[in-house]
Amino acid sequence: MEEKDIILKAEHISKQYRLGLVGTGTISHDLNRWWHKVRGKADPYLKVGESNDRSTKGQSEYVWALQDINFEVKRGEVLGIIGKNGAGKSTLLKILSKVTGPTTGEIKTKGRIASLLEVGTGFHGEMTGRENVYLNGAILGMTKKEISSKIDEIIEFSGCQRYIDTPVKRYSSGMTVRLAFAVAAFLEPEILVIDEVLAVGDAEFQKKAIGKMQDISRGDGRTVLFVSHNMSAIKNLCTRAILVEKGRIRSTGSVDNIINLYLSQMRKEKEDFESLERKGNGVIKITSVKTKSIGNDFHGTVGLPFSISFDISNNTNVKVCDVRLDIRIDDSLGQKYAWLSTSVIPFDVKSKNNVVKTISFELEKLNLQKGIYYVTTYLECKGEVSDWIQNAFDFEILDGKYYESDAKVPNNQGKILLDYSIKHS
Amino acid sequence: MESKHIKSDWLYTISPKKKLINLNFKEIWRYRDLLFLFVKRDIITQYKQTILGPLWYFIQPLFTSVIFTLIFNNLAAIPTGNGIPSFLFNLAGITSWNYFSSCLTGTSDTFKVNQGIFGKVYFPRVITPLSIVFSNLIKFGIQLLVFISFYIYFVFFTDTASNALPQITIILLPILILFMGLLGLGLGMIISSMTTKYRDLTFLVGFGVQLLMYGSAVMYPLSYFKEKLPEYSWLVAYNPMTTIIELFRQMTLGVGSFAFNNFIYAGVISVILFLIGLVIFNKTEKSFIDTV
């Protein structure tokens, strides 16, 4: 990499956080820190601190959210930053956008950095769309003159022409997001930092947003740093990627390599069901899952029967009729393929009052193409969320025979296999 | 490394080093439109969905003055000076006190109120408290008009205001208003920075400002306090707000005599508190998002 092309350079960036409640004990630590400083000694709490691993319970109150991060970004590059929840991606972006300072290390830049950590920051419900465009634009670093020269484009891009002089509190959430993204899309800094903004809005708008991001990076040669869990967005937009793991850079390289590395790492870690991150009141919980095909545990096979069954811990003897289980099957890029739910198939009247122990979804003939699939589970008890796990587990579907002929449907032509017949005349 | 000679190319560096005062005036100037828009937002959103709207700017000081006049002057018989209507005396005190206290309370929770936006986007943080001081200045302007209208009424339509005359020192009024703003802003920034870690101060601000008003000679002249409670009078006398309010009344109504020492005293204290506030605010803004 030639030195003169580098627009941004991070050197040994680290960031330490204190865990638990800030409050009790804070003053004693502050005093101790100050006492060390007075005597010219190093901060005693910088030495302690453990690496950033969300699931293990550490000994220290201090934790390194980021440790020794080094990377360089070339002008015009779109750098994707991927990693698990809590790996330190957002902390990194926060430091880049000057929201918080690093504990050690420094970042050098040759251009102005503007960040888009969440759209619509600073929107005020009582003000009209137009007024909010000005305010939000100014917060993001534009001058009034710049905004005025672009306001028509911004409004047109947002598609909210009709409501632009209505207070934003009357907007639907989708409209707010459209307007907010439109403002951000017309920012013109040398370096743009984006975090997960594409996860909002309807499909049509997402497409528009991705298109706009591509224009920004390709057409205008703007440098973009992009954090997302949406692998297809990363794949579409980025020219290079970084994988962050437990506060350190695990690997840097081409987008495809990094995505594969990330996904294989995700797969390995999903085996332990207990430690998954979940939402809900936990009245009933999924304790384990089995995927099963003929002669094959764990894997499915195209065209053969397949079942996914869940063991459910149920200490309060909840009945079958009070429970709802939804599962969604996504591919590795986060595209949603299928949604299976006890709510769409009526349950057996005989077992209605049984105590729930297992729930199993049975497919007669597996009609998804070979590949790895990710399952999100959503368990509801008496209308309340009980156990909701994003990307709870994954399974692999092996190649098999779906149609009678031996010919295969090309994998890149379609992911779902349908039963159909052909009539000639 | 060979990159040594290229070093000067970097536009800026993000690092943990903290300078004592790290005010980038160029940057603040670049964000002046944001300051203006924040002020506009404060003004237009404050009284949305109210029936009386901006009339509240008038009503609040008016009613307070009426009550003060009833309680402190008519009931408790605090003298406000010969030929100076108690109502005008109180209105002068309340108008200037209001500006200071709204600056103080408005800026004292800067970090807490704005943590959402501060956690997402960078802009010079000092813009936010500045915008509060400016939008309060507009309210102060309106309240000053109210004061002037009542002054005109009392002077031309009653004969109670024979001694209420603006003094030549009124040319220093803009500077006095600047002191009020700086004092409120300075204290507010100190408190807002401290409350990011220790929330105790928020409780203090609530009733502390209320108590401070009684110690700031808003509804009595300092001379009367000295006469009645000489052993405590230093407490009130050293309060810079007392000095400012006394000066305000001297300039506009001619109450008491003008002491240039006092003017300097108020100015020095205001500037010092403002600078301390700025330093603490600067120190806090870099890391507050981790502790708030």
Side-chain angles (χ1 to χ4, degrees), chain A residues 29-277:
Chain A
H29 282 212
D30 282 354
L31 289 174
N32 195 6
R33 191 175 275 144
W34 172 79
W35 178 231
H36 275 74
K37 207 169 150 192
V38 168
R39 291 177 297 163
K41 291 192 175 174
D43 187 338
Y45 299 107
L46 282 183
K47 275 178 250 163
V48 294
E50 298 174 336
S51 83
N52 170 18
D53 189 345
R54 171 164 49 82
S55 47
T56 56
K57 193 143 174 78
Q59 298 296 311
S60 171
E61 261 183 276
Y62 289 86
V63 89
W64 288 100
L66 288 176
Q67 252 178 318
D68 202 25
I69 299 284
N70 295 287
F71 64 89
E72 288 171 340
V73 188
K74 265 198 287 187
R75 204 175 286 276
E77 198 170 37
V78 185
L79 183 72
I81 300 172
I82 54 187
K84 285 195 301 180
N85 286 337
K89 308 179 297 281
S90 300
T91 309
L92 182 58
L93 291 200
K94 276 187 175 166
I95 293 173
L96 280 169
S97 51
K98 294 209 282 184
V99 164
T100 181
T103 311
T104 64
E106 58 180 23
I107 291 169
K108 293 174 187 163
T109 164
K110 283 180 193 162
R112 263 207 282 159
I113 303 178
S115 68
L116 224 119
L117 297 194
E118 206 170 276
V119 287
T121 25
F123 264 38
H124 197 292
E126 297 286 354
M127 301 204 303
T128 67
R130 192 185 300 273
E131 287 167 338
N132 268 311
V133 168
Y134 276 98
L135 183 64
N136 194 234
I139 287 174
L140 294 171
M142 282 193 264
T143 62
K144 219 175 152 196
K145 220 171 111 194
E146 278 179 282
I147 306 167
S148 291
S149 68
K150 287 181 199 155
I151 183 107
D152 294 330
E153 281 177 275
I154 293 175
I155 294 170
E156 202 200 311
F157 185 81
S158 74
C160 298
Q161 290 92 329
R162 201 169 163 187
Y163 299 92
I164 202 66
D165 292 310
T166 307
V168 164
K169 64 177 176 182
R170 309 261 176 257
Y171 281 32
S172 74
S173 54
M175 269 160 59
T176 317
V177 166
R178 278 165 165 259
L179 191 63
F181 185 83
V183 181
F186 286 88
L187 270 177
E188 280 178 353
E190 286 94 345
I191 304 167
L192 189 61
V193 172
I194 307 170
D195 190 7
E196 300 276 14
V197 275
L198 302 175
V200 288
D202 52 23
E204 174 224 356
F205 190 71
Q206 280 194 21
K207 222 171 171 181
K208 212 168 160 184
I210 290 194
K212 180 73 192 172
M213 309 277 26
Q214 273 169 341
D215 287 353
I216 287 176
S217 54
R218 285 184 201 152
D220 315 350
R222 210 93 51 78
T223 312
V224 181
L225 277 79
F226 183 55
V227 163
S228 178
H229 287 287
N230 183 339
M231 290 301 141
S232 59
I234 295 257
K235 222 171 183 165
N236 269 328
L237 284 171
C238 299
T239 50
R240 206 160 62 93
I242 292 181
L243 177 59
V244 183
E245 191 183 301
K246 291 174 191 166
R248 290 171 183 276
I249 290 185
R250 160 96 185 266
S251 185
T252 315
S254 77
V255 177
D256 286 327
N257 288 346
I258 295 295
I259 289 182
N260 286 338
L261 186 64
Y262 171 66
L263 292 176
S264 64
Q265 172 204 343
M266 290 283 276
R267 275 169 56 72
K268 245 185 275 156
E269 288 182 7
K270 280 292 154 69
E271 276 150 24
D272 186 10
F273 222 80
E274 289 292 318
S275 64
L276 288 174
E277 200 172 295

Side-chain angles (χ1 to χ4, degrees), chain B:
Chain B
M1 289 255 302
E2 53 175 356
S3 65
K4 270 264 158 81
H5 61 282
I6 303 194
K7 216 167 187 181
S8 53
D9 281 7
W10 300 111
L11 187 67
Y12 62 87
T13 305
I14 302 168
S15 67
K17 278 175 213 116
K18 288 169 194 158
K19 273 184 249 156
L20 196 59
I21 297 187
N22 186 17
L23 261 195
N24 189 341
F25 287 104
K26 229 169 120 188
E27 195 181 44
I28 294 173
W29 180 244
R30 202 156 54 72
Y31 277 90
R32 64 192 182 280
D33 287 335
L34 181 62
L35 178 65
F36 170 74
L37 285 163
F38 271 152
V39 172
K40 195 175 151 197
R41 178 194 65 183
D42 288 349
I43 298 288
I44 64 175
T45 57
Q46 187 149 38
Y47 292 109
K48 281 245 168 125
Q49 284 206 4
T50 58
I51 297 167
L52 296 177
L55 273 183
W56 285 109
Y57 290 138
F58 300 88
I59 292 167
Q60 188 228 350
L62 232 56
F63 278 38
T64 322
S65 299
V66 169
I67 296 293
F68 276 14
T69 310
L70 277 175
I71 303 287
F72 294 104
N73 306 112
N74 295 1
L75 197 66
I78 294 176
T80 53
N82 232 345
I84 289 156
S86 313
F87 179 79
L88 268 190
F89 180 93
N90 286 328
L91 194 58
I94 285 163
T95 306
S96 39
W97 171 258
N98 266 355
Y99 180 52
F100 163 76
S101 77
S102 58
C103 285
L104 171 59
T105 45
T107 50
S108 70
D109 49 8
T110 305
F111 284 115
K112 216 174 73 187
V113 169
N114 294 291
Q115 58 174 298
I117 177 170
F118 282 4
K120 300 283 161 29
V121 198
Y122 174 80
F123 52 86
R125 303 307 189 208
V126 80
I127 295 272
T128 329
L130 273 181
S131 75
I132 291 168
V133 172
F134 280 110
S135 57
N136 281 324
L137 191 62
I138 293 171
K139 289 178 214 162
F140 175 70
I142 295 172
Q143 295 184 346
L144 205 58
L145 284 178
V146 176
F147 175 70
I148 293 169
S149 342
F150 273 92
Y151 177 79
I152 291 171
Y153 168 78
F154 273 100
V155 169
F156 292 103
F157 298 97
T158 70
D159 49 4
T160 51
S162 51
N163 278 332
L165 286 175
Q167 306 294 304
I168 179 73
T169 47
I170 203 161
I171 50 165
L172 293 174
L173 188 64
I175 303 176
L176 191 70
I177 295 168
L178 178 74
F179 292 167
M180 288 181 212
L182 286 182
L183 194 61
L185 179 63
L187 279 175
M189 286 198 297
I190 295 173
I191 294 169
S192 73
S193 307
M194 312 262 260
T195 42
T196 60
K197 255 192 180 174
Y198 308 107
R199 290 283 162 84
D200 311 56
L201 277 170
T202 37
F203 297 100
L204 193 70
V205 173
F207 76 93
V209 169
Q210 198 74 26
L211 290 185
L212 193 63
M213 183 176 77
Y214 292 97
S216 300
V218 174
M219 64 294 271
Y220 53 84
L222 177 63
S223 53
Y224 185 68
F225 195 97
K226 276 182 171 159
E227 186 188 315
K228 285 278 172 185
L229 293 163
E231 63 270 39
Y232 300 115
S233 66
W234 59 272
L235 259 175
V236 179
Y238 280 121
N239 177 352
M241 256 330 270
T242 306
T243 320
I244 289 177
I245 288 173
E246 289 265 304
L247 284 167
F248 184 82
R249 280 194 297 242
Q250 195 277 331
M251 291 170 182
T252 53
L253 297 175
V255 181
S257 57
F258 182 82
F260 199 70
N261 285 350
N262 286 348
F263 188 73
I264 296 295
Y265 172 73
V268 167
I269 296 285
S270 303
V271 169
I272 287 177
L273 277 172
F274 170 69
L275 288 178
I276 294 176
L278 210 54
V279 169
I280 300 184
F281 192 86
N282 254 301
K283 230 173 118 62
T284 312
E285 71 169 37
K286 269 201 172 175
S287 63
F288 96 97
I289 206 71
D290 310 332
T291 53
V292 74

